[in-house]
């Protein structure tokens, strides 16, 4: 479903030194894979998702989505394949527009907007049904501006928007990290329900090592711009967080450094 | 005497209201402070006046003016989205360039339109006051804009002004949306300039000075006065704001202020309106202080 080969991304530092964020990354994602990605701070996890989504150009390498080479396609062209949820709940929705308007734009992801009505009554009915599944009472607030919603509600809405027109690839970048523990739990559950229930292909960055092993079917560990570990079932099913940390030490010779992971 | 002066004020509010709708598109919807307006407004006047002075149809001249305004907006959009020049500077560059362009089009600094066939005189010949023309054009613009903002394209335009990352993730090219918004906006502005030239009986290369600030004043005043939700109300507010603004100007003149001071007054008005939130917090601080003295707890 997604294949990247020899991906390299270098950011220019202020002092003229390049920072290698992705260092010859190869990855093959099968249809239906739900992959969790962990790694130390600055490992290049977000950069990988951003490069796949087209937010940054690559310096080298190729990206294929569903067999199609998208390496030089701009972000908005690739968006027809990709649903995204960001860490910051503010990024995924337009605050001044209503819930139904946001959903309507997401529903037509990848289609050139035209002069037909932005939201139809049929769509409203569908939105109401889908929102009811979130169990947040949003189904009665279609005409409310999204800016009135809480962070958790906005993130749930973003998740719904990212998946309302089935994406070939769902990219989740620490999408529960900015939420309080209880809300994070709910959004996590919702993610599992949506991705698992509809057999979506997804990449999810998390700093919670426990979650990394519990969610999905495959786990990647990144460090210094490289994928250093790619664990699949059945091996993954037997792994514990301690095993993960040990693996990291064995591979890198240093301790796994993610302040948030250690706190979690 | 006063009555006809008031009608004149209303007419100004209406005809400049078309310009204010254009400013509303960039400033409020696209979140883009577009200074092209000070150049595209006289551009509209210049194009319409040139066509009319050369014996052309006033309707054709007015349409051509709107089209020229769109091109001016697209030029600013091109500078901003393709050449990556900041929005503010892009507008200033186009506005500056347009000064020369407008002089080229007119061939001189001022074109009188007295005794020429204009849209205003066409209405006059049929016993209709200019405000009838202006209301028709303004209502048409308002209704079309309201309807447009409820379409898919209108959603995409609004989202571009709200959250570019979000709408790009929905597959929309935000550069195209900015070009569209700037084009529409400056088309309306130039249309307004074309009608103003026909209304006042001349086009002048300096007639654009302060247009943006007057447009902003109308948008801000309108929003302060009309506090209903919904998009139809937002454009209504702009029109109300434009009429109120022209009335305030009229009142200021009646009170004996010099016409040359008006731009200063308008600028101060806009500054006060834009700094409203800061003033409120200052007042609240003062209020809290007083309450501490009286011993009444603040909520
Ligand atoms: N836009 C940017 N400009 C310059 N450098 C960047 C940019 N984005 C990321 N980097 C650098 O690239 C490296 C990888 O960053 P990235 O955000 O991908 O890390 P990450 O694995 O997501 O880390 P975290 O867990 O802290 O989110 C870091 O050294 C970072 O400083
Ligand atoms: Mg990150």
């Amino acid at each position: 479903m997604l294949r990247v080969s020899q991906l390299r991304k270098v950011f220019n530092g202020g002092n003229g030194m390049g920072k290698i964020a992705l260092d010859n990354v190869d990855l093959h994602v099968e249809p239906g894979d739900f992959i969790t990605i962990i790694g130390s701070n600055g490992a290049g996890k977000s950069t990988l998702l951003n490069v796949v989504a087209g937010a940054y150009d690559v310096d080298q390498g190729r990206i294929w989505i569903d067999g199609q080479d998208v390496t030089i396609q701009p972000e908005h062209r690739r968006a027809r394949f990709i649903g995204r949820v960001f860490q910051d709940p503010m990024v995924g929705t337009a605050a001044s527009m209503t819930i139904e308007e946001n959903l309507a734009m997401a529903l037509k992801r990848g289609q050139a907007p035209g002069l037909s009505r932005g939201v139809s009554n049929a769509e409203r009915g569908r939105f109401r049904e889908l929102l009811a599944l979130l169990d947040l009472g949003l189904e009665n607030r279609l005409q409310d501006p999204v800016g009135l919603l809480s962070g958790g509600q906005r993130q749930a809405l973003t998740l719904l928007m990212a998946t309302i027109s089935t994406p070939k690839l769902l990219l989740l970048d620490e999408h529960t990290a900015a939420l309080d523990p209880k809300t994070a739990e709910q959004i996590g559950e919702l993610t599992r329900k949506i991705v698992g229930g509809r057999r979506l292909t997804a990449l999810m960055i998390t700093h919670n090592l426990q979650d990394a092993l519990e969610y999905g079917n495959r786990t990647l560990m990144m460090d210094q711009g490289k994928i250093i570990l790619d664990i699949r079932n059945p091996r993954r099913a037997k792994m514990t967080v301690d095993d993960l940390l040990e693996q990291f030490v064995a591979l890198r010779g240093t301790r796994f450094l993610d302040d948030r992971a250690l706190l979690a | 005497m006063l009555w006809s002066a008031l009608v004149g004020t209303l007419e100004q509010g209406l005809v400049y209201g078309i310009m204010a709708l254009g400013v509303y598109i960039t400033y409020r919807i696209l979140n883009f402070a577009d200074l092209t307006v000070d150049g595209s407004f006289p551009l509209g006047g210049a194009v319409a006046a040139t066509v009319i002075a050369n014996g052309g149809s006033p309707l054709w001249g007015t349409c051509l003016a709107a089209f020229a305004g769109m091109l001016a907006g697209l030029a600013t959009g091109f500078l901003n989205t393709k050449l990556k020049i900041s929005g503010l500077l892009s507008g200033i560059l186009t506005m500056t360039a347009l000064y020369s362009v407008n002089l080229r089009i007119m061939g001189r600094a001022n074109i009188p339109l007295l005794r020429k066939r204009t849209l205003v005189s066409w209405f006059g010949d049929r016993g209709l006051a200019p405000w009838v023309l202006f209301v028709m054009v303004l209502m048409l613009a308002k209704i079309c804009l309201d309807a447009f903002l409820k379409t898919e394209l209108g959603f995409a335009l609004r989202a571009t002004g709200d959250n570019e990352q979000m709408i790009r993730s929905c597959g929309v090219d935000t550069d195209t949306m900015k070009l569209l918004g700037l084009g529409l906006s400056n088309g309306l502005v130039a249309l307004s300039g074309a009608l103003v030239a026909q209304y006042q009986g001349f086009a002048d290369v300096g007639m654009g000075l302060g247009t943006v600030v007057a447009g902003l004043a109308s948008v801000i005043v309108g929003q302060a006065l009309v506090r209903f939700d919904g998009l139809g109300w937002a454009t209504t507010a702009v029109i109300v704001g434009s009429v109120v603004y022209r009335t305030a100007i009229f009142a200021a003149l009646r009170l004996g202020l010099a016409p040359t001071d008006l731009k200063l007054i308008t600028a101060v008005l806009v500054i006060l309106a834009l700094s409203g939130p800061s003033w409120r917090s200052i007042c609240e601080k003062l209020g809290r202080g007083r309450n501490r003295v009286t011993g009444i707890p603040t909520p």
Side-chain angles (χ1 to χ4, degrees):
Chain A
M1 188 53 74
L2 168 71
R3 196 153 78 80
V4 307
S5 121
Q6 296 290 304
L7 271 195
R8 190 176 161 82
K9 176 69 194 173
V10 183
F11 287 109
N12 295 320
N15 51 6
M17 295 246 300
K19 165 77 204 169
I20 303 176
L22 291 179
D23 191 0
N24 294 320
V25 172
D26 289 298
L27 176 63
H28 196 132
V29 180
E30 308 287 345
D33 263 355
F34 180 4
I35 299 182
T36 57
I37 305 177
I38 54 175
S40 32
N41 299 123
K45 307 179 294 291
S46 298
T47 305
L48 177 62
L49 295 205
N50 278 320
V51 157
V52 167
Y56 304 144
D57 292 333
V58 291
D59 295 305
Q60 181 199 302
R62 301 226 144 270
I63 304 165
W64 293 266
I65 297 176
D66 205 13
Q68 191 173 339
D69 188 339
V70 299
T71 315
I72 56 166
Q73 276 185 9
E75 185 178 6
H76 66 93
R77 291 271 300 145
R78 275 184 235 186
R80 68 190 189 279
F81 302 128
I82 296 173
R84 287 184 88 181
V85 185
F86 307 86
Q87 178 171 351
D88 182 349
M90 305 300 148
V91 179
T93 46
S96 68
M97 301 179 69
T98 63
I99 293 179
E100 62 176 26
E101 287 169 343
N102 272 275
L103 282 167
M105 288 184 282
L107 182 65
K108 286 151 207 159
R109 177 153 41 73
Q111 301 168 20
L115 287 175
S116 44
R117 254 213 313 197
V119 204
S120 68
N121 282 327
E123 285 163 1
R124 269 192 197 106
R126 171 141 182 241
F127 296 161
R128 217 169 264 125
E129 280 169 26
L130 289 169
L131 286 167
L133 296 178
L134 301 181
D135 210 13
L136 293 169
L138 296 182
E139 62 274 18
N140 302 318
R141 301 177 61 182
L142 282 182
Q143 324 265 350
D144 275 6
V146 168
L148 298 180
L149 305 186
S150 71
Q153 289 172 327
R154 276 180 86 157
Q155 210 61 332
L157 180 62
T158 309
L159 193 55
L160 183 56
M161 287 167 60
T163 52
I164 190 167
S165 89
T166 306
K168 289 190 189 299
L169 198 59
L170 179 64
L171 303 178
L172 309 166
D173 189 348
E174 302 193 35
H175 68 304
T176 63
L179 307 173
D180 65 81
K182 190 164 154 284
T183 316
E185 179 90 13
Q186 287 171 347
I187 298 294
E189 235 5 87
L190 188 64
T191 308
R192 222 195 283 259
K193 209 163 81 183
I194 292 178
V195 178
R198 291 168 53 193
R199 299 268 305 140
L200 298 177
T201 309
L203 298 178
M204 177 175 101
I205 299 176
T206 175
H207 58 258
N208 185 327
L209 301 183
Q210 191 64 45
D211 282 354
L213 291 173
E214 280 177 11
Y215 284 70
N217 64 331
R218 186 175 161 192
T219 297
L220 303 178
M221 185 187 270
M222 289 187 70
D223 189 49
Q224 295 183 12
K226 288 187 161 70
I227 296 175
I228 56 170
L229 201 59
D230 183 350
I231 324 163
R232 304 174 198 229
N233 286 330
R235 183 174 157 223
R236 197 182 90 124
K238 296 195 286 281
M239 276 193 105
T240 64
V241 170
D242 286 335
D243 294 337
L244 268 184
L245 292 173
E246 256 170 48
Q247 280 278 344
F248 185 86
V249 177
L251 283 161
R252 306 308 280 186
T254 61
R255 271 170 31 126
F256 182 79
L257 267 187
D258 177 350
D259 28 358
R260 288 160 308 175
L262 297 181
L263 287 174
Chain B
M1 182 61 207
L2 180 65
W3 175 247
S4 76
L6 278 175
V7 171
T9 304
L10 175 71
E11 284 170 348
Q12 286 198 9
L14 295 170
V15 72
Y16 281 97
I18 302 166
M19 176 275 291
L21 281 182
V23 171
Y24 168 76
I25 293 177
T26 43
Y27 181 67
R28 275 282 172 237
I29 298 181
L30 214 45
N31 197 13
F32 188 113
D34 178 28
L35 300 189
T36 316
V37 169
D38 272 24
S40 55
F41 184 79
L43 172 67
V47 170
T50 305
V51 170
I52 292 168
N54 287 312
S57 138
L59 185 61
W60 159 243
T62 306
C63 293
L64 197 65
F67 181 72
M70 280 188 189
L71 291 183
L74 291 182
T76 300
F78 178 81
L79 296 182
N80 178 234
T81 61
K82 304 300 173 203
L83 304 186
K84 308 291 175 210
I85 298 171
S86 84
L88 212 52
L89 194 52
S90 299
I92 292 175
L93 288 169
T94 309
M95 174 189 81
T96 306
L98 279 175
Y99 188 80
S100 302
V101 172
N102 294 343
L103 273 172
R104 275 275 171 217
I105 292 172
M106 297 202 291
R108 52 200 150 132
N110 187 296
I111 296 182
L113 292 174
L114 297 171
R115 287 184 297 280
K116 295 279 182 200
R117 277 173 49 242
T118 67
L119 286 179
V120 174
S121 74
W122 191 91
F123 270 69
D125 292 345
R126 280 148 189 82
L128 297 169
W131 62 261
V132 179
L133 168 66
F134 299 156
V135 164
M136 282 170 56
V137 178
L138 188 59
M139 281 303 127
L140 188 69
K142 177 196 148 48
I143 290 166
C144 288
L145 183 57
D146 286 345
F148 172 73
L149 292 174
K150 293 199 184 84
T151 64
E152 293 170 0
L153 213 49
F155 281 14
L157 186 75
R158 290 160 58 202
T160 300
D162 184 313
N163 183 345
E164 287 193 41
Q165 177 63 64
M166 174 266 168
I167 192 66
R168 261 203 307 273
S169 304
C170 289
V172 172
D173 184 0
T174 48
D175 286 357
T176 309
M177 289 305 123
K178 288 180 196 171
L179 287 166
L180 175 72
L182 285 162
L184 281 180
S185 163
N186 285 286
L188 285 174
V189 170
L191 173 62
S192 172
L195 292 175
V196 166
Q198 295 172 65
Y199 177 52
Q200 66 190 10
F202 63 90
D204 188 277
V205 73
M207 70 192 264
L209 195 69
T211 310
V212 169
V213 178
L216 288 178
S218 305
V219 171
I220 295 167
V221 167
Q223 203 162 39
L225 293 177
V226 181
R227 291 169 170 275
F228 297 106
D229 281 342
L231 284 168
W233 281 109
T235 47
T236 306
V238 173
I239 295 168
V240 170
S242 179
V243 172
V244 169
Y245 168 71
R246 295 292 154 183
T247 310
I249 294 282
F250 172 73
L253 289 174
R254 295 280 294 191
L255 290 174
L257 282 162
T260 44
D261 289 336
L262 288 181
K263 299 242 188 291
L264 173 65
I265 294 164
T266 306
V268 170
L269 190 81
V270 172
I271 291 169
L272 285 177
L274 289 180
S275 59
S278 329
W279 287 115
R280 215 165 294 143
S281 75
I282 290 170
C283 293
E284 269 166 23
K285 275 190 200 114
L286 292 176
R288 261 202 291 281
R290 193 157 51 240
N291 282 358
R292 214 172 289 135
V293 172
T294 56
I296 298 166
T298 48

